[in-house]
Amino acid sequence: MKRPYIRHIGHVRDTRAWPAAVRTSGVAASLCLGLAAAAAPAHAGSAPDTAYAPVQVNVINGEFTQPPITGNEPNWAAVQGWSVGSTNGSGTGSGVARYSGANSGHPAGKTAVMLRYPLPNYAFKQRLRGVRPGAQVSVTFDDSPGIATNCTPASVADGQSYTVEGAGGAVSTRTTAPDPDKKANTLGKGVWRAGQTYTFTASEYEPLLTFTSQVPNSANANGYCGPLIASVRATQVPPPVDKTIPKTALPSSLAFYGNDSRPVADAVNYCAGGAGRCAFTPDKDYSYSYYEPAQVNSDTYINCTRNVLKRARPVTFAGRSYGDLPANAGLPGGGTTVSNMAQQFSAGTGTSPDWTTTNTRNVTEVVQPSEASWIETQAGRQRTEGWFTQTPPAADPNFEWRLYTVLDYAATTLSDRVYQRTGPMTPAEKLRCQSDRPSSPTPVAAGDPAGAIR
């Protein structure tokens, strides 16, 4: 027979504002009996929250105006915020050409980038900051066939092809409008189409957006004739918060240097090298407090007597923190030394959590005859997700460190819960209470008189 859920409930109010790194036994707490304390549901294990409305994505230098174009055109200076080729440590910002608004032929005077060879090492890309897996991303841009003096009339007469791809989405092949008016050895004006769109569902944090020329070698003038893009913008519909992820299966930390993916240890080495090197910014929409599922704390107490029993019972909470950063980050911490990154985390969140917790409270347990009593506890937890970013920001975003991480630890503002539970004994417990008292056999026969004391 199952026991009823609640007979007595304890709800412990606990602000957790302890100065020490480890909480110890004997912390004062109030214990209130009553059914109302069980009303609030646990957050962990709940369904994902409602999705968000579309928001603007910060496409860095999406107008391609930095650095400013000076001198003759096309301009071959590295385009700030964008990479050409690899994004695993060997990519560059150079390798594509730009035309200023005065020469691009764009009706709104936009600066344009010319895509080059149909090769991965000439792909033009950027990581979309602030976008996470599951986000619905819509990218908008303008395109035109090439205008370079190297473009022959035949090479643009039917338009020029290129691809656009966002990590997690399908590769989309596009063809620009044709340009029947292009003159040989003359800078053209292009045929611009505004508001080209591409949508995808991101499969990674900071997904790569990639443009690649598909103009064959026979028509790209050795890489000096390719399609143009201008005015890249993006919006996203962020995914809902998924509160079903357990603390033991947090997303892995990620590190980036500009658009390059780098080992997490490299970013940690940078941020940990000085108190002011990085700043932590929590993602408040995806950081939350919650209650762990209730679990039995210590033993079940069985009252086999004929009397009401009262006793003081210690209830101990012990917990640890979870995160996957290298040890030199000091997050989560385990010692008395506060690391530079721990200081950055505290400054960004306004909290100084206890990374390892031990807390004991005494509960007065009341057990009726022929009943069982047990204690269940729910620990208050905090899930904090966010980014360590280089500070001050690098002049060129291609040379800026960013580190994504998630930490789960004892909540600093959420009370732990203590449930005092009583209910009927199980059949096995009843049989145990009805069994004979253990005793040694009487050393004389039942009918013999008792002997003298020896």
Side-chain angles (χ1 to χ4, degrees), residues 239-319:
V241 181
D242 185 357
K243 296 181 179 178
T244 65
I245 300 173
K247 63 188 180 184
T248 54
L250 301 178
S252 299
S253 298
L254 300 168
F256 303 100
Y257 184 63
N259 294 312
D260 289 350
S261 176
R262 292 292 183 88
V264 170
D266 291 354
V268 168
N269 289 340
Y270 179 83
C271 291
R277 279 194 172 183
C278 292
F280 181 78
T281 303
D283 190 336
K284 295 182 179 179
D285 288 336
Y286 292 89
S287 299
Y288 56 91
S289 57
Y290 69 96
Y291 281 109
E292 289 189 298
Q295 56 184 323
V296 175
N297 188 305
S298 191
D299 302 320
T300 300
Y301 192 63
I302 314 290
N303 186 358
C304 293
T305 73
R306 299 182 179 87
N307 303 310
V308 176
L309 298 181
K310 294 183 180 180
R311 69 170 194 147
R313 179 167 181 164
V315 178
T316 300
F317 283 88

Side-chain angles (χ1 to χ4, degrees), residues 411-434:
T412 57
T413 58
L414 191 65
S415 303
D416 292 331
R417 287 170 172 169
V418 177
Y419 299 85
Q420 180 179 344
R421 306 279 299 278
T422 62
M425 291 184 287
T426 66
E429 291 165 346
K430 289 180 179 179
L431 288 174
R432 180 61 191 154
C433 282
Q434 294 169 3

